[in-house]
Amino acid sequence: MKISPSILAADFSCLYQEISRVEGEADSLHFDIMDGHFVPNLTFGPGLVASLRKKVNLPFNVHLMVDNPQEWISPFVDAGADLITVHLETCRHLDRLVTVIKEKGTKVGVALNPATSLQELEYVVSEVDIVLAMTVNPGFGSQSFLFSVIPKIRDLREIIKKRRLSLEIEVDGGINEDTAARAIEAGASILVAGTAVFGASDPGKAILRLKNS
Ligand code: DX5
Ligand code: ZN
């Protein structure tokens, strides 16, 4: 299982130092891009990703919580994203967008809000690298894990088995040592963690604790 720390929970006044503390243990770095429309919060854009790209060696996973995600693919690819995850709820032409991202040589993920069903993924799931099951309603860090999403993670694991797909299941929101175990047991293989990592006194050790839980 892999841990992807979300920099949303880091101290922005010393962001690079914060990231250096997890570079040894993290498997990738998670960037939460929020536009104040799809979600009621604003974060940062491709400029920040590009400036960190010059200093950090981890794979960069960009989680787009924005309306009109098609307008933001090229800027984030150019900024150095290794994986771009778009929300199903924001895509009118999901198949087209998945193709556009893959053609740029970038991995592609599709995220689902807690209330969104797996059904609409049926004919596109074989084309994606990651399905991200949100375990909080997107927009903020430090929210509580929604256990109602566990059956969706199990169902997706079943679909992967039945159709022999190679995609990974990622979960995002409210991950701590207790909920990490529940998500993994249900079938997730990548955990995004903000508060549990950057809120800890030693973020590197916090990642190892999550992995051992
Ligand atoms: C929520 C974001 C998450 C958030 C997770 O909209 O997508 O990535 O940073 O934060 P924690 O781990 O604190 O719930
Ligand atoms: Zn996220």
Side-chain angles (χ1 to χ4, degrees), residues 6 8 30 32 34 63 65 134 138-142 172-174 193-195:
S6 164
L8 188 64
H30 184 90
D32 285 310
M34 304 186 185
H63 177 193
M65 286 163 276
M134 290 302 298
F140 303 95
S142 294
D172 183 5
T195 311

Side-chain angles (χ1 to χ4, degrees), residues 134-175:
M134 290 302 298
T135 39
V136 297
N137 288 294
F140 303 95
S142 294
Q143 302 181 80
S144 299
F145 185 93
L146 295 171
F147 288 94
S148 53
V149 180
I150 292 280
K152 180 158 56 180
I153 302 170
R154 281 195 213 292
D155 291 348
L156 182 56
R157 181 52 64 197
E158 272 306 302
I159 293 169
I160 291 172
K161 217 160 115 196
K162 250 191 218 149
R163 293 179 56 178
R164 296 168 192 243
L165 301 170
S166 59
L167 69 99
E168 296 206 69
I169 304 178
E170 184 173 52
V171 297
D172 183 5
I175 291 294

